[in-house]
Amino acid sequence: APTWQRGVPYDVRQTLQSLGQDPDTFDLIIESPSPTDWVQWQRGHLIPKLKWQAEWDELYKNVGLAEGYRYIGLQPEVETKYGLWRSWPKEHVQELIDRLARWPQIRVVLIGQEATTSFLGAHVIDLRGKTNLYELLSLVQHRFSDLIVPDSGILSMVYYLDVQFPLRLISLWADPSQGVLKQAVASPNSQLCHVPLVGERRNLSTVSAEVVIDALIPSEPLAVCRHAQMVAPRQGQAGCIILAGGQGTRLGHEGPKGTFVVAGKSLLQWIIEKAPPDFPIAVMTSPLNHAVTVQFLEEHRYFGRNVRCFSQTMGPILDQAKRPIPGAQAPDGNGALFRSFEASGLSREWEEEGITQVVIVPVDNALADPCDLLLLGLQIETGADATIKCVPREPSDTSMGALSARLGAIEVTEYIAMNQKIRYVYSYIGIMALKLSFIRSVAGRKLPVRWVWKAIPQLKAKFAWKGEQFIFDALIYAAKVEALCDDRIGCYAPLKRADQKNAVEARLSQGEK
């Protein structure tokens, strides 16, 4: 029936008459066929098998994908217009492409019938509308190591292809009661590794690019850190940013966390006084504590150092149903550093002054060194965009992130996302060195927002969802990341809760002896 369209009502008698058939000559006309119900007995039992002819094996050569790369096939959207809810959001597709750019051996190959949306990336090969079905299936077998597809015809054909070849197949689902998941049988290809990712509430936007990366290229604990010699930066080459946007609520302190006194000095003083007088330091505050922090530093004449302040941005606070609470905002995490530092104009000023390296330290670690020569030494020696400082992991580090690696690229795994069955070697202490040029390049990037259910001080201890961005999420955009392991006794004494004060004071007293 050439006039029938999916989802459009039709009249069987009129259709038969248009085809030159007399409806009255038929013994039975089924006007509402349900083939889905007819084959229900097959689900979970019958494995569909698509036969492949050997002469089709060479068709991939028509496309000309050279050897030596890891080719990842990606279908950005479904081809059928009636099921657009099956498509992954375009911004997620672009973010995934951006994240994969850090590995020079990876090429992303876009597949499908037509290129309705452009995606950017020097590592992208767009074959949409340029291959026939047999060429595509030959490519999947002989060039692709991975394939990322929504619930589509391509997914079904690859899944049921009766040929043995290795492939990691990642499928994206808004509705898991469809397609190959509904059939609920194994692929005839025993070498196919199928990883279905299902969105929440029939919404594929809840499947993030980060989740796809985890399925595509699983991380593993970083096994070995490099060590560096003491390489002092040239005069005026380095600066420091102190992350001090938080309040001292958990310390029982009314005021900015940086003004809390431990062992006779404020946390800000402990850090700032380690720097030479002309060493540039920028303190990132938040609108909640900016004025009080600036006043505090002015009253102490900036401890005789070259200190400037800038404020980070704020983000919305959500109620339990994840709806914005009117008028409620909170600092949006230390990942705001990139755009906030750029917006302040300080990044441009430092660049004009010849600063190329920046040490990032949290204000709650009184042992942090704003001009850490070992850290800067490895950063300069290797030419890395970022160098992370870490310490050997201990059993008590359960609330600390850990260093991991993905295809050789070093990154930080947040503690709530860690696999508890895996032994991690190094703990992240919130200190790193970044190239100033890298900081400026990330300012225009949109980092992921991680929502955390926590007590919000300005809501009088009421719990709510707080969105935070993290500095370490920017590492995916770094061309090169290094790590430096140090002795925690000399570099890490976190003061996050009031009950940690005595232990920190003891550590600080030992360091002054």
Side-chain angles (χ1 to χ4, degrees), residues 390-413:
C390 59
V391 295
R393 193 164 184 85
E394 296 182 352
S396 59
D397 294 348
T398 53
S399 62
M400 296 172 64
L403 269 63
S404 54
R406 205 186 298 266
L407 281 186
I410 299 173
E411 55 188 45
V412 175
T413 298

Side-chain angles (χ1 to χ4, degrees), residues 95-237:
E95 182 184 347
L96 175 66
I97 290 172
D98 292 344
R99 283 173 172 261
L100 292 171
R102 70 188 303 196
W103 293 288
Q105 71 270 39
I106 284 180
R107 294 291 182 270
V108 178
V109 183
L110 303 182
I111 61 172
Q113 292 181 0
E114 55 182 336
T116 58
T117 304
S118 297
F119 297 99
L120 305 177
H123 58 305
V124 173
I125 301 171
D126 195 345
L127 295 183
R128 290 176 292 174
K130 299 176 183 178
T131 65
N132 61 40
L133 175 60
Y134 298 106
E135 287 172 332
L136 173 58
L137 293 178
S138 182
L139 276 172
V140 172
Q141 296 177 61
H142 299 287
R143 277 293 180 263
F144 292 178
S145 62
D146 316 89
L147 181 61
I148 305 167
V149 286
D151 173 21
S152 64
I154 292 177
L155 166 62
S156 296
M157 284 183 283
V158 171
Y159 190 84
Y160 294 127
L161 201 58
D162 192 13
V163 184
Q164 295 298 307
F165 63 96
L167 180 74
R168 180 181 290 269
L169 177 61
I170 298 174
S171 58
L172 308 175
W173 300 85
D175 183 359
S177 64
Q178 304 287 330
V180 300
L181 293 187
K182 185 176 185 178
Q183 187 65 17
V185 292
S187 168
N189 177 8
S190 62
Q191 297 184 51
L192 183 145
C193 175
H194 182 211
V195 184
L197 301 177
V198 181
E200 300 175 5
R201 302 178 302 278
R202 198 182 164 94
N203 184 357
L204 252 186
S205 67
T206 60
V207 178
S208 67
E210 182 180 11
V211 169
V212 175
I213 284 283
D214 286 338
L216 186 67
I217 310 170
S219 66
E220 56 187 17
L222 182 68
V224 178
C225 279
R226 293 187 58 170
H227 293 270
Q229 298 178 349
M230 187 79 74
V231 180
R234 296 189 302 273
Q235 183 71 22
Q237 187 180 11

Side-chain angles (χ1 to χ4, degrees), residues 428-448:
Y428 173 60
I429 61 175
I431 297 175
M432 63 176 68
L434 301 175
K435 280 184 178 178
L436 179 58
S437 59
F438 175 69
I439 293 176
R440 301 200 69 183
S441 72
V442 176
R445 298 277 190 179
K446 185 178 180 180
L447 299 183

Side-chain angles (χ1 to χ4, degrees), residues 317-318 325-326 328-329 454-464:
I317 299 174
L318 310 183
I325 299 175
Q329 288 190 316
K454 61 191 303 184
I456 308 297
Q458 56 266 43
L459 296 180
K460 298 181 179 179
K462 178 181 178 182
F463 279 79

Side-chain angles (χ1 to χ4, degrees), residues 361-379:
V361 301
V363 75
D364 57 20
N365 181 8
L367 289 179
D369 186 350
C371 47
D372 191 320
L373 296 184
L374 276 178
L375 186 63
L376 288 168
L378 183 56
Q379 173 86 346

